[in-house]
Each structure stands twice: as C-alpha cells, then as structure tokens.
Amino acid sequence: MNIRVITPGLLTTVQDAGRSGHASIGVGNAGAMDSVALRLANYLVGNSHRSAGLEITLLGPRLRFDDDTLIALTGAPIRAHCDDSEVPSWRPVAIRAGSELTLGGMRHGARSYLAIAGGIDTNCVLGSRSSDLNAGLGPPMLVAGAALATHRAPVDVGGRLWKQLDADRARTRAKMVAATWLIDPAPWFDPATQTPLRMIAGSHCPHLDQGSRRALFDTGFRVGVDSNRTGYRLEGARLALRKPLELVSEGVSTGTVQLPPGGQPIVLMAEAPSCGGYPRIGQIIAVDLPRLAQYRPGETLHFVETSLDDAQTRYLQRERALSRIAQNIARRLRED
C-alpha cells in the first residue's frame, strides 16, 4: 500500500522504537520522542510496538491513502479530518481508499503520532527505520510528492469496523468510521506543563555551587526556541560549578542534563549523541521523557529530585500498565 504526501507539515518524520545497541560505534538511539504515544498508536492498529509510524511536530501533513487502511492518532491533540469528517484520536479508525487525511495544528503539546496498520516500510538501517536527522540516518523528513510504502496489515484486524463502514457508505457515502471504544489519554498525555519532571542527580551535580543547586530544583527553565530532537536548550538561572572540572567524554543518553560553559543546561533528547564532555548534572527518569517531549519552545519546566529506586519502580509500573493495555486492545481488535 502507498500513502501519498500532499503537504508535509512542519516537521514530519518516520519513527519507530529506535536504533538501540550501537552506542559503541557512536550511533545514538533516535526513535520517537514520545515513545509511549507511538507504542499505543501501534497497539491500536494491531502492530508490533516496534513498528514504524509518523511523528508529527506542531503542524501535521496532508496525506492521501491509495488503499483501505486502519489508522490511529495519539499524543498531542491535533485537528484531524478525513475529507469532511473529523477523525478522533486514541482509537482505531478505518478509512477507505482514495481518502485524504488532513492533520492541522495542536491545541496542546508538541508531537502527535500516526500509526498505520502494518507499519511504514522503509529501508532498515542498523535495525531501525527511524529518521535521525542529526546523524543523517534513515529516511528524510516528509516532503510534498513523496510516497510512503507500508507493510501488509495484520489479518482480520478491525473486521467489524469495515462492515460498519460498508453499511454507512451505502447510506451516506461515508469514507471513515471510528471505533466506539478508546484508550483514556489522561495517563499518557499531560497538558499541565507545571507538573515537575523527576530527575536523578547526576555525577557532577555535587560540583554545582550552593546557589546553582538550589536554582536547579527551585526555579523554572524555559525551553529555548533553538531546541530540537537532539536536545532542549533551557533558559533561566545560569548555573555554575564551584570550580572548573577537567573532563573526558563519557557516555550520555536521552534525558541526560548537561551543563555547558555558558551555564544554561541542555537536556539531551531522542537524537542525542552517544557521548559528551560537558558536566552531567542530572538524568530525567524514563517515565517522564514522553512528557518532556511534549513541551513546546517557550514553555517553562521544573525539576524535582528523585532516586534511582523510585525511577526503576515507576518504570516497572508503567510497563505493567502498558502490557495490560496491549492485551486489552488485542482482544478488542479481535472482537471488532
């Protein structure tokens, strides 16, 4: 099946679960910024959690579908229409061949995700179909006139939706029908950007001077306009070390908070390099990285200190919850 790109949106890229396991050769993970949102979208159309979908930043594309397909939208709330019908998020949606999906702006948040039954089929580079714009790996961002191929959709997924669409189409020429059930987005998308992000103190956090240590956790930081998938540049209190440190480059990852000489922290994001030489003053915990990915430039974030034990406990709780959701969705898709 092919999907035609009529307009590409502001920044739309192909993303999956990421290019893990290659840090030793200098290749970062990449993958979806809000990995949970893409994962849930894939579950909703019967895909593997590692299938490739589209990451849409702030303003979405306009796409034409050459074949019947099942789609799902998750992440930031986005204006979406299939021809003249509004497309709801967080549920499976069946659309007919020849339909156009128009994705507009987002009311809150920064990134929405579109999963397509079967997943997007691009060349696999080091085990991933993700676009890493910074490293130049994987497919380029979408451009007008491009075509996206997809894998064959899972068998017998959403059969009841197609029967309902056939019945609706006979009466009203409908080109789209959405499932009546959905995932509750509340646990997975938090529009309240004042909720602090939990951070483990980094190995160089004790080297901050007393005022900077207080400022790190007691004041807010704005997301800079030059932030991107590689890193969020934070603006606010200038942080300083008690004395200069002589450092060599060491391993870093998504969520590492570095302190450049200018004193304005940088939070490394999905396209983070595999190593860096700036002081590492913190690490955003894994369960809060999807929330961080939804911050827009100009919004203010706050940090609260937590422990490694708390981070691990929250991660395991999240994974158990996602596993239950995956099982429930798979059952509903079989019933539908």
Side-chain angles (χ1 to χ4, degrees):
M1 185 186 84
N2 283 326
I3 303 167
R4 311 289 176 176
V5 180
I6 300 172
T7 58
L10 184 63
L11 174 62
T12 307
T13 57
V14 176
Q15 300 296 338
D16 60 15
R19 196 168 280 110
S20 59
H22 303 288
S24 62
I25 58 173
V27 177
N29 191 74
M33 289 274 280
D34 185 342
S35 58
V36 170
L38 177 58
R39 188 167 164 182
L40 290 170
N42 274 319
Y43 290 154
L44 285 167
V45 296
N47 289 348
S48 157
H49 74 279
R50 296 194 62 85
S51 296
L54 293 180
E55 178 178 277
I56 301 153
T57 305
L58 295 177
L59 180 67
R62 185 179 175 193
L63 308 171
R64 181 180 176 85
F65 291 80
D66 289 347
D67 299 281
D68 295 350
T69 192
L70 196 67
I71 66 167
L73 286 164
T74 59
I78 187 170
R79 291 191 295 272
H81 288 85
C82 176
D83 295 323
D84 295 327
S85 301
E86 186 173 351
V87 179
S89 299
W90 300 94
R91 70 190 76 196
V93 178
I95 61 175
R96 282 301 186 197
S99 299
E100 290 187 3
L101 177 66
T102 302
L103 300 170
M106 299 168 192
R107 296 185 294 274
H108 309 287
R111 292 172 176 87
S112 298
Y113 292 86
L114 173 65
I116 297 135
I120 295 174
D121 182 13
T122 66
N123 290 333
C124 199
V125 179
L126 295 176
S128 172
R129 293 181 169 82
S130 281
S131 174
D132 188 331
L133 301 177
N134 185 50
L137 295 175
M141 61 183 176
L142 264 62
V143 296
L148 297 171
T150 64
H151 295 282
R152 185 180 297 277
V155 178
D156 295 331
V157 170
R160 188 178 298 176
L161 284 177
W162 293 115
K163 291 178 182 178
Q164 181 183 339
L165 184 54
D166 285 339
D168 290 348
R169 196 175 189 187
R171 296 192 306 271
T172 64
R173 298 185 180 179
K175 291 188 175 182
M176 180 212 85
V177 66
T180 56
W181 56 272
L182 74 158
I183 299 174
D184 179 8
W188 312 109
F189 178 79
D190 179 13
T193 56
Q194 296 304 308
T195 305
L197 296 163
R198 288 164 288 226
M199 181 170 71
I200 302 168
S203 57
H204 300 121
C205 191
H207 295 276
L208 291 171
D209 64 34
Q210 188 173 9
S212 296
R213 179 64 183 263
R214 284 198 303 268
L216 178 61
F217 294 107
D218 293 345
T219 65
F221 293 88
R222 290 184 306 278
V223 178
V225 295
D226 52 352
S227 299
N228 53 36
R229 280 178 46 85
T230 301
Y232 278 9
R233 295 182 179 273
L234 305 185
E235 301 169 350
R238 292 189 177 273
L239 308 182
L241 303 173
R242 294 197 307 269
K243 60 181 180 179
L245 296 175
E246 292 291 335
L247 301 175
V248 297
S249 291
E250 294 184 9
V252 294
S253 64
T254 304
T256 297
V257 184
Q258 294 187 304
L259 184 63
Q264 299 285 260
I266 297 174
V267 185
L268 299 181
M269 300 301 288
E271 294 183 9
S274 60
C275 61
Y278 293 141
R280 295 169 301 285
I281 60 173
Q283 180 70 38
I284 310 300
I285 70 172
V287 298
D288 281 357
L289 289 175
R291 286 204 300 120
L292 178 58
Q294 294 294 353
Y295 276 76
R296 296 170 178 252
E299 291 183 336
T300 300
L301 54 81
H302 297 78
F303 297 122
V304 62
E305 189 171 1
T306 191
S307 66
L308 179 60
D309 284 346
D310 177 63
Q312 291 174 329
T313 298
R314 291 179 185 276
Y315 175 79
L316 292 173
Q317 289 172 341
R318 184 190 77 177
E319 291 304 299
R320 285 194 289 268
L322 287 170
S323 178
R324 290 192 296 270
I325 289 174
Q327 292 171 8
N328 289 336
I329 291 174
R331 176 179 57 78
R332 291 301 298 264
L333 288 175
R334 288 193 299 270
E335 292 174 355
D336 283 351

